[in-house]
Amino acid sequence: MSEHFEVHGGARLTGEVEVVGAKNSVLKLMAAALLAEGTTTITNCPRILDVPLMADVLRSVGCEVEIDDDVVRITTPAELSHRADSAAMSRLRASVCVLGPLVGKLKKAVVALPGGDAIGSRPLDMHQNGLRKLGATSAIEHGCVVAEADGLHGAQIWLDFPSVGATENILMAAVLAEGTTVIDNAAREPEIADIVAMLTEMGAKIQGAGTSTLTVEGVPELKPTEHRVIGDRIVGATWAFAAAMTRGDVTITGVDPHHLELVLEKLRLAGAEITTYDGKGFRVNQPERPQSVDFVTLPYPGFATDLQPFAVALSTVSEGTSMITENVYEARFRFIEEMVRLGADARTDGHHAVVRGVEKLSSAPVWASDIRAGAGLVLAGLCADGITEVWDVFHIDRGYPHFVENLNRLGARIDRVGTPTAG
Ligand code: UD1
């Protein structure tokens, strides 16, 4: 039997919860360690499956990786392999982030096409076009991205869309290229600023972190560093939505509230009282039933697509009707069918969803299809009559360290039942 959660409805969440390092940052920082010979130390790492998976990816190209509680130490040898095509590659999206560092360092890479959440099509054209502009060839052959260059040179690169992964890969190739690279329409996510901070500590010369123009002046080599991962804004926001949905009062620490300005504004509009603690965390107190709010997903600083399932979950129990627009991943509304099993009054049309709030949801067995959709179903289960079974919870475990323990400490009652299956 595989594992599932039994979520008892009716909880009001109160108390304090600490958030650790961001999944979407740590995995890229681990890849960046490939750029410098020697031992790089990354602290505040979340204990989630994707970290050991990424460690396997790095080991497959010749690194030694040691995971000690929340510290990851990566020792990059003088001679790295350019082939990253181990089985671990297909199990997470972020594995593709070894492409930029390998091309930057070795001028050659064979990188298996990545796996990750089934949330819609995830092409690599912008990653490849960026590398081509830097002077590499790039093609998909036998399930791998194959890239090669005699030497990399700086270039002007304009991204069609501010893709997080493409920005990271191009950046990590450009730091060792000869000359100046300008990446325009770059992603502005806090995780990009985090990787820029780490690369700068390693000796890279990068201007414009957090803006849509990154200017990189290539350097001949980088040195290892020690870096602390930024707090996970997506996890922090998950607890914020959980507080609002259960009419609770929760203080969330370990996340910079500036990374969640729009999210906190939306929760204020829904009726939450928000207190922020500069750089440290925030408190969400929801005294009454939430009011409906509209949400539109966009690249940062817009409302994150990774939070869209929580916007839907909140809307299912709010007073009034919400319109939620998904602009980033076309398949990300699929989980709404599961919300409907729980009694949500929701329908989708293309990239819009209309959700009419109901007083109470009603428990049912539901299936998680990705990390955030799964977590959204658990939050909905907290607002349902009876016990909601959420299946395929290995998805949730990939993104949330101590998910059940954290919610139970805040007053939820969730039991993990059965034996784990590999994600
Ligand atoms: C990252 C996050 C993911 C988040 C997403 C958007 C990680 C490991 N994952 O994914 O949780 O949902 O950012 O915030 O950090 N695209 C192309 N061509 C490309 C690259 C992307 O068309 O070459 C499209 C994608 O299909 C998607 C959009 O651009 O529609 C955004 O993708 P991107 O920002 O690249 O997301 P990821 O880096 O894969």
Side-chain angles (χ1 to χ4, degrees):
M1 192 176 66
S2 67
E3 263 187 322
H4 70 277
F5 294 162
E6 289 184 356
V7 184
H8 295 245
R12 174 172 182 265
L13 301 190
T14 58
E16 189 173 315
V17 58
E18 194 190 343
V19 174
V20 295
K23 162 184 164 295
N24 285 352
S25 205
V26 67
L27 305 171
K28 326 304 177 59
L29 302 178
M30 288 173 73
L34 291 172
L35 288 162
E37 189 185 330
T39 303
T40 294
T41 305
I42 305 172
T43 62
N44 197 32
C45 299
R47 268 173 272 173
I48 49 171
L49 180 65
D50 280 11
V51 170
L53 284 177
M54 192 65 183
D56 282 345
V57 169
L58 298 183
R59 286 188 191 107
S60 75
V61 293
C63 296
E64 275 174 35
V65 187
E66 198 189 303
I67 303 174
D68 181 8
D69 201 13
D70 67 343
V71 178
V72 176
R73 277 183 209 88
I74 300 154
T75 303
T76 299
E79 299 278 316
L80 274 175
S81 160
H82 67 269
R83 291 194 80 88
D85 55 0
S86 66
M89 287 296 291
S90 61
R91 293 182 60 194
L92 73 169
R93 174 73 186 173
S95 60
V96 77
C97 269
V98 300
L99 177 64
L102 288 178
V103 175
K105 189 104 188 295
L106 307 175
K107 314 289 174 270
K108 187 170 183 186
V110 177
V111 172
L113 290 171
D117 287 323
I119 54 180
S121 97
R122 300 177 92 171
L124 294 174
D125 53 315
M126 286 187 256
H127 302 235
Q128 291 186 281
N129 286 339
L131 294 180
R132 287 184 193 119
K133 284 268 172 112
L134 294 175
T137 58
S138 180
I140 308 280
E141 288 172 19
H142 312 293
C144 293
V145 186
V146 180
E148 203 165 353
D150 290 333
L152 295 181
H153 51 74
Q156 168 77 42
I157 298 168
W158 177 270
L159 298 181
D160 290 341
F161 183 92
S163 151
V164 175
T167 302
E168 290 163 341
N169 258 331
I170 297 166
L171 184 62
M172 287 194 276
V175 285
L176 292 178
E178 216 177 295
T180 304
T181 299
V182 178
I183 310 172
D184 249 320
N185 202 22
R188 288 185 280 166
E189 271 69 1
E191 293 75 22
I192 302 279
D194 200 21
I195 200 171
V196 168
M198 176 164 146
L199 291 168
T200 305
E201 290 153 21
M202 293 168 80
K205 294 199 175 134
I206 306 165
Q207 302 286 316
T211 75
S212 45
T213 305
L214 289 172
T215 305
V216 186
E217 203 187 304
V219 294
E221 63 173 9
L222 296 180
K223 57 181 188 312
T225 189
E226 177 170 334
H227 184 84
R228 183 182 166 83
V229 187
I230 55 163
D232 197 317
R233 66 195 163 99
I234 305 297
V235 172
T238 305
W239 306 143
F241 274 92
M245 288 175 67
T246 62
R247 298 179 216 182
D249 184 358
V250 176
T251 299
I252 295 134
T253 62
V255 185
D256 187 343
H258 293 301
H259 296 167
L260 288 169
E261 270 168 7
L262 179 55
V263 174
L264 298 181
E265 185 53 26
K266 289 285 175 186
L267 292 177
R268 259 186 213 109
L269 289 172
E273 292 161 5
I274 309 279
T275 317
T276 56
Y277 310 107
D278 216 13
K280 294 197 175 75
F282 54 97
R283 175 178 170 191
V284 178
N285 179 25
Q286 179 81 36
E288 310 280 344
R289 183 176 173 196
Q291 297 295 311
S292 61
V293 181
D294 291 342
F295 295 89
V296 178
T297 71
L298 281 171
Y300 190 84
F303 188 85
T305 172
D306 285 354
L307 296 178
Q308 181 258 98
F310 309 113
V312 171
L314 175 71
S315 306
T316 65
V317 293
S318 294
E319 199 170 333
T321 300
S322 306
M323 162 102 87
I324 296 119
T325 305
E326 172 58 62
N327 287 316
V328 184
Y329 287 112
E330 76 281 358
R332 221 164 186 172
F333 277 145
R334 281 192 200 145
F335 81 102
I336 287 184
E337 286 168 29
E338 301 300 301
M339 287 283 185
V340 169
R341 281 184 210 272
L342 295 174
D345 181 351
R347 68 193 61 195
T348 56
D349 185 2
H351 63 131
H352 300 292
V354 175
V355 183
R356 292 185 184 86
V358 296
E359 242 330 309
K360 217 168 191 49
L361 298 169
S362 83
S363 58
V366 288
W367 278 261
S369 51
D370 70 75
I371 303 174
R372 313 300 168 191
L377 290 168
V378 172
L379 300 199
L382 292 174
C383 304
D385 263 337
I387 299 175
T388 294
E389 288 177 9
V390 180
W391 291 85
D392 288 350
V393 296
F394 59 85
H395 288 295
I396 301 174
D397 290 333
R398 278 191 42 224
Y400 293 89
H402 308 300
F403 182 77
V404 169
E405 293 80 356
N406 277 319
L407 282 171
N408 284 348
R409 224 174 287 131
L410 293 173
R413 182 163 164 216
I414 304 174
D415 301 315
R416 186 185 280 270
V417 181
T419 46
T421 47

